[in-house]
Amino acid sequence: MPYKKFEEYNMQVTDDVKNRYKDIIKDLGEDVGRDGLLKTPERAAKAMQFLTQGYHQDPVEILKSAMFKESYNEMVIVKDIELYSLCEHHILPFFGKVHIAYIPNGQIVGLSKLPRIVDVFARRLQVQERLTEQILDCINDTLKPQGVAVVIEASHMCMMMRGVQKQNSITTTSGFRGQFEKIETRNEFLKLIGK
């Protein structure tokens, strides 16, 4: 079976961004006519559209599309969700894991929707602190559970390959709402995710 691409790009945006990348590459002292760089501006333009597609997606609608009435009222955890985002300060990647828990209040959500909303918010220019809050607030405001917890552990290329160049540093952010503001519930969550 031949390889098929499923990605779609706005060609006007692609052409505009491609031309900007050509200028950037030239300004850095490279030859955009060199064989290895001929298609780089277009590839970079498409990559940036993919990596920032979260601006055109609605995380609330994603959650609402899979909410179900259910009497279950114990902790639900999805841990080790892969995270890839771009730091808004340097447009360099940061990556790691997200751990999400919620305690239902008459409604549950399809488990795949939690990683999907992580991707929606991560595929924007971000800072880890805001990303944590956006995921937390989206779940809390949409699902209206008894409580929500979000922990993000990430490595930032802006710290690893430039600036202070600390390759082994990990940044951890967390947020808690409702029942997770109680120390015993929070501790149970942190124990279950291995923290």
Side-chain angles (χ1 to χ4, degrees), residues 10-27:
N10 178 320
M11 290 313 295
Q12 183 178 346
V13 172
T14 300
D15 287 342
D16 186 38
V17 175
K18 174 180 75 175
N19 290 330
R20 292 169 193 249
Y21 270 114
K22 271 186 188 174
D23 290 341
I24 290 168
I25 292 167
K26 283 181 199 171
D27 289 346

Side-chain angles (χ1 to χ4, degrees), residues 105-119:
N105 190 19
Q107 299 257 12
I108 61 169
V109 67
L111 296 176
S112 71
K113 302 308 177 197
L114 298 176
R116 287 187 193 280
I117 66 163
V118 168
D119 285 346

Side-chain angles (χ1 to χ4, degrees), residues 78-92:
V78 180
K79 67 179 192 172
D80 297 330
I81 300 166
E82 293 106 358
L83 164 72
Y84 300 96
S85 191
L86 292 174
C87 164
E88 70 181 34
H89 299 146
H90 302 96
I91 312 183
L92 287 172

Side-chain angles (χ1 to χ4, degrees), residues 93-142:
F94 66 94
F95 57 93
K97 294 179 180 179
V98 181
H99 313 288
I100 299 173
Y102 75 97
I103 300 172
N105 190 19
Q107 299 257 12
I108 61 169
V109 67
L111 296 176
S112 71
K113 302 308 177 197
L114 298 176
R116 287 187 193 280
I117 66 163
V118 168
D119 285 346
V120 168
F121 289 118
R123 289 184 179 151
R124 300 175 181 186
L125 300 180
Q126 275 292 8
V127 294
Q128 185 173 329
E129 297 87 344
R130 182 187 323 117
L131 177 60
T132 305
E133 266 196 342
Q134 288 176 329
I135 295 167
L136 185 71
D137 290 340
C138 181
I139 296 167
N140 194 54
D141 297 345
T142 308

Side-chain angles (χ1 to χ4, degrees), residues 9 17 21 43-53 86 91 125:
Y9 299 98
V17 175
Y21 270 114
R43 284 200 231 36
K46 288 179 177 178
M48 284 305 291
Q49 287 179 77
F50 178 84
L51 295 171
T52 59
Q53 66 184 293
L86 292 174
I91 312 183
L125 300 180

